[in-house]
């Protein structure tokens, strides 16, 4: 399996570290909604087909990548920097310890 | 039905082997059953067998996408053991071990269960402490365990590098004498024949394409061979759990499917008469009756339904083998393959009622499902028949993740690729 790192080009999978399912969104750190956190930590889509997932090119440029890969054939559909796909934190977010 | 007595063997040998009867029938699906078991692997067949044998429910169909034994029951490395530490696990797997010990007799079918023992090698003093603690936990819960010194290990396993100059010196090993191996295909065939004789319909080439519903309630399955109604629908599909449950409208589960590779070497003269596991990496090896070394290591570590893996794990497993048994370096590999593992979030299984009314779920076996086959079927059958879990599987619920009651043998947390 070759992963096309957007910085280094196609490299063998042994250079990369799998960082798991990218279909989950980390809840707001201030959220105390137990169900939302339980779902984030434990529940997975477990897609059979094109799967969004994070990899790190730990044996190369160390970039964090967002890869779309078929779990049925291992064919890579796309690979980009994870930062490009990241959602920006909301501006209304409070600082830890701040009063509401 | 097929009988394998000495007389039958002789008679069929003399008549050109033309009169052997199939071990199980190939019936047409009936429109309705009391229980439909989805998945004709070891666990599904064992479930049907114990439902009929222990609970008198014989109006059962087992629906299987391919042919019997085409999935993980024919793809594993055949190891049977109960060397766990956490009480829920060791009690469940010890129950399985007791069923294994009587399985050939129970099924009147030789599953070639060979109690050759399993030896977990420890390579550091702290690992030895951990293994001894696990051995004590096993003894406490009724399993068997013995601590072996390097000298005793050298006598037991020839060819093993027990010298102090080994790359990972061996400081001792936890041995479970009652563990061993079994002929995995025979387990599927034996349960299939046993279930068939008790009146269970085994429907091969019968892929489930959807679920029949009455509101929330599951009332049957739609298959490529037509709709089959059922009072109870039991799911035992291992690596395909996500795909099958999605058909019932359940998108998210505490399970990820990963690929595990297994390997067989060319035939060698007998030299390992036990199962050996390597503690400084992850490797387990035994020798089959045909002489091939049957071995495997870690899962590949990324989500997969492909039933084949990649080369980095092959290289890692081979290097571990050469590190443990330097003399095996020139041995050639005969074949390798992959199977799809239903990795749960805590490394322990799920045998439960629900998650929908009329449905029962058996899943999350990670890569230890083969040894669990008898107890999994036994406990799942109990759960289906009585609509409530047996004490042995009461802890293996689906909601344990949300109640903080995880059974995390390795302490890895919700990272399925590490279990």
């Amino acid at each position: 399996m070759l992963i096309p790192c957007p910085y280094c080009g196609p490299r063998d999978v042994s250079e990369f570290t799998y960082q798991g399912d990218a279909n989950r969104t980390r809840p707001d750190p201030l959220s105390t909604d137990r169900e939302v956190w339980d779902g984030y930590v434990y529940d997975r889509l477990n897609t059979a087909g094109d799967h969004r997932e994070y990899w790190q090119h730990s044996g190369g440029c160390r970039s964090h990548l967002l890869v779309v890969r078929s779990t049925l054939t291992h064919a890579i559909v796309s690979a980009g920097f994870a930062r490009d796909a990241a959602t920006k934190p909301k501006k209304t977010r409070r600082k830890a310890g701040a009063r509401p | 039905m097929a009988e394998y007595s000495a007389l039958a063997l002789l008679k069929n040998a003399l008549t050109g082997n033309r009169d052997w009867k199939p071990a199980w029938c190939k019936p047409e699906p009936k429109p309705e059953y009391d229980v439909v078991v989805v998945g004709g692997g070891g666990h599904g067949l064992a479930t049907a067998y114990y439902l009929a044998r222990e609970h008198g429910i014989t109006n059962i169909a087992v629906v299987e996408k391919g042919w019997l034994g085409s999935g993980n029951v024919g793809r594993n490395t055949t190891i049977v053991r109960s060397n766990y530490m956490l009480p829920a696990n060791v009690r469940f797997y010890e129950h399985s071990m007791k069923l294994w010990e009587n399985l050939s007799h129970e099924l009147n079918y030789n599953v070639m269960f060979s109690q050759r023992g399993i030896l977990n090698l420890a390579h550091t003093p702290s690992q030895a402490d951990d293994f001894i603690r696990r051995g004590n936990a096993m003894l406490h819960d009724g399993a068997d365990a013995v601590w072996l010194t390097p000298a005793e290990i050298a006598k037991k396993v020839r060819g093993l590098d027990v010298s102090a100059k080994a790359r990972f010196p061996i400081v001792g090993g936890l041995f479970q004498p009652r563990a061993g191996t079994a002929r995995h295909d025979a387990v599927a065939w034996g349960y299939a024949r046993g279930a068939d004789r008790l009146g269970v319909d085994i429907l091969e080439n019968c892929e489930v394409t959807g679920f029949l519903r009455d509101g929330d309630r599951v009332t049957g399955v739609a298959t490529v061979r037509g709709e089959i109604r059922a009072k109870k629908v039991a799911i035992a599909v291992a690596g395909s759990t996500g795909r099958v449950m999605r058909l019932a409208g359940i998108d998210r589960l505490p399970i990820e499917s990963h690929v595990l590779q297994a390997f067989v070497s060319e035939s060698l003269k007998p030299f390992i008469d036990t199962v050996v596991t390597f503690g400084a990496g992850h490797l387990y090896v035994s020798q089959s009756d045909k002489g091939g070394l049957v071995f495997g290591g870690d899962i590949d570590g990324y989500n997969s339904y492909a039933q084949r893996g990649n080369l980095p794990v092959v290289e890692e497993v081979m290097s571990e083998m050469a590190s443990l048994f330097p003399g095996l370096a020139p041995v050639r590999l005969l074949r390798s393959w992959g199977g799809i593992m239903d990795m749960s979030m805590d490394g322990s299984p799920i045998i439960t009622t629900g998650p929908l009314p009329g449905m029962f779920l058996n899943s999350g076996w990670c890569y230890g499902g083969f040894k669990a086959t008898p107890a999994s079927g036994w406990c799942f059958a109990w759960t289906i028949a009585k609509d409530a879990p047996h004490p042995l599987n009461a802890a293996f619920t689906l909601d344990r993740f949300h109640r903080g009651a995880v059974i995390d043998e390795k302490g890895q947390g919700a990272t399925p690729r590490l279990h």
Side-chain angles (χ1 to χ4, degrees):
Chain A
M1 196 158 87
L2 293 176
I3 296 179
C5 173
Y7 191 77
C8 309
R11 295 297 185 93
D12 188 78
V13 65
S14 59
E15 290 185 11
F16 295 82
T17 306
Y18 188 58
Q19 294 183 309
D21 191 341
N23 294 298
R24 302 179 296 151
T25 312
R26 192 180 175 83
D28 180 344
L30 292 173
S31 164
T32 53
D33 187 335
R34 211 180 101 178
E35 274 190 24
V36 172
W37 277 105
D38 278 348
Y40 170 71
V41 174
Y42 291 114
D43 293 342
R44 301 287 192 276
L45 269 179
N46 198 18
T47 315
D50 290 350
H51 186 242
R52 282 161 52 86
E53 56 198 24
Y54 292 120
W55 290 81
Q56 189 192 7
H57 195 185
S58 47
C61 64
R62 305 188 66 77
S63 298
H64 292 272
L65 308 178
L66 176 70
V67 176
V68 179
R69 182 184 59 94
S70 169
T71 54
L72 296 169
T73 63
H74 297 163
I76 311 280
V77 178
S78 67
F81 293 115
R83 59 174 178 262
D84 295 340
T87 49
K88 296 228 165 62
K90 284 184 215 148
K91 279 183 181 165
T92 54
R93 198 169 125 187
R94 288 169 290 157
K95 280 184 187 166
R99 286 177 181 280
Chain B
M1 286 294 106
E3 291 292 353
Y4 308 113
S5 65
L7 192 66
L9 282 172
L10 185 66
K11 181 171 158 272
N12 280 285
L14 293 173
T15 56
N17 286 314
R18 282 187 297 268
D19 293 332
W20 288 114
K21 301 279 188 296
W24 58 88
C25 314
K26 301 213 180 273
E28 283 304 308
K30 287 193 275 184
E32 183 162 3
Y33 291 92
D34 288 341
V35 179
V36 165
V37 179
V38 182
H43 291 219
L45 293 167
T47 302
Y49 175 80
Y50 289 113
L51 270 170
R53 182 95 165 81
E54 303 279 329
H55 304 284
I57 301 170
T58 55
N59 187 23
I60 304 173
V62 177
V63 298
E64 162 58 39
K65 176 174 70 173
W67 68 94
L68 293 193
S70 58
N72 292 346
V73 72
R75 289 169 186 264
N76 53 73
T77 45
T78 80
I79 299 165
V80 173
R81 59 186 175 86
S82 62
N83 53 359
Y84 283 78
M85 192 186 77
L86 298 178
N89 278 335
V90 68
R91 284 170 198 160
F92 173 82
Y93 287 107
E94 184 52 29
H95 180 64
S96 204
M97 182 69 81
K98 293 199 172 85
L99 292 171
W100 276 111
E101 286 175 327
N102 196 37
L103 194 59
S104 292
H105 180 71
E106 163 90 27
L107 297 173
N108 189 24
Y109 198 101
N110 188 4
V111 299
M112 296 167 73
F113 181 48
S114 156
Q115 291 182 293
R116 57 186 69 186
I118 187 167
L119 175 64
N120 298 145
L121 296 173
H123 303 269
T124 63
S126 57
Q127 194 173 30
D129 288 348
D130 179 46
F131 282 11
I132 290 167
R133 179 183 177 223
R134 175 153 57 88
N136 285 332
M138 289 163 64
L139 293 172
H140 182 71
D141 272 314
D144 56 323
V146 187
W147 181 253
L148 300 182
T149 62
E152 289 166 318
I153 290 168
K155 258 192 244 168
K156 191 163 213 33
V157 187
R158 301 290 173 185
L160 195 63
D161 187 357
V162 293
S163 68
K165 63 180 192 337
R167 173 65 184 83
F168 299 101
I170 291 163
V171 300
L174 185 66
F175 187 61
Q176 185 182 20
R178 285 161 64 246
T181 59
R183 171 85 204 278
H184 52 197
D185 299 312
V187 176
W189 299 334
Y191 272 122
R193 190 182 72 155
D196 181 87
R197 283 185 175 185
L198 294 167
V200 173
D201 280 0
I202 295 166
L203 308 171
E204 293 170 89
N205 301 312
C206 190
E207 183 175 357
V208 168
T209 54
F211 286 89
L212 308 181
R213 302 285 287 269
D214 178 9
D216 260 0
R217 189 164 195 84
V218 174
T219 57
V221 288
T223 74
V224 293
R225 293 174 69 179
E227 290 189 352
I228 304 170
R229 305 195 74 79
K231 293 189 183 77
K232 295 173 179 181
V233 176
I235 316 287
V237 295
S240 299
T241 302
R243 298 169 90 173
V244 171
M245 294 303 280
R246 189 155 286 135
L247 298 173
I250 292 171
D251 281 341
R252 288 178 189 263
L253 282 170
I255 286 173
E256 277 184 7
S257 293
H258 284 250
V259 60
L260 174 68
Q261 302 187 65
F263 311 89
V264 170
S265 78
E266 60 185 327
S267 284
L268 303 170
K269 291 203 171 171
F271 85 104
I272 304 180
D273 63 355
T274 184
V275 183
V276 180
T277 75
F278 178 50
H282 196 185
L283 171 82
Y284 33 92
V285 56
S286 64
Q287 191 169 17
S288 78
D289 292 353
K290 287 188 282 188
L293 296 169
V294 183
F295 57 107
D298 267 325
I299 53 175
D300 270 38
Y302 44 80
N303 290 50
S304 175
Y305 284 88
Q307 291 191 321
R308 63 170 187 272
N310 275 294
L311 291 171
V313 164
V314 179
E315 188 180 10
E316 186 180 313
V317 169
M318 300 308 143
S319 62
E320 288 176 353
M321 190 77 157
S323 155
L324 206 52
F325 295 98
L328 288 180
V331 171
R332 285 165 297 182
L333 195 64
L334 193 63
R335 54 199 169 92
S336 73
W337 62 92
I340 303 306
M341 308 296 120
D342 36 338
M343 304 300 295
S344 68
M345 292 294 146
D346 59 359
S348 295
I350 294 157
I351 308 176
T352 185
T353 56
L356 297 170
M359 182 187 258
F360 299 81
L361 181 64
N362 176 320
S363 182
W365 293 100
C366 299
Y367 44 113
F370 178 67
K371 63 180 172 292
T373 304
S376 166
W378 195 91
C379 288
F380 200 32
W382 177 291
T383 307
I384 295 162
K386 303 195 186 288
D387 285 306
H390 186 272
L392 284 169
N393 66 306
F396 299 145
T397 60
L398 190 56
D399 68 351
R400 67 175 184 268
F401 303 98
H402 303 258
R403 287 188 292 111
V406 293
I407 309 161
D408 193 341
E409 192 81 20
K410 282 175 82 179
Q412 298 280 22
T415 45
R417 68 182 182 279
L418 300 177
H419 283 296

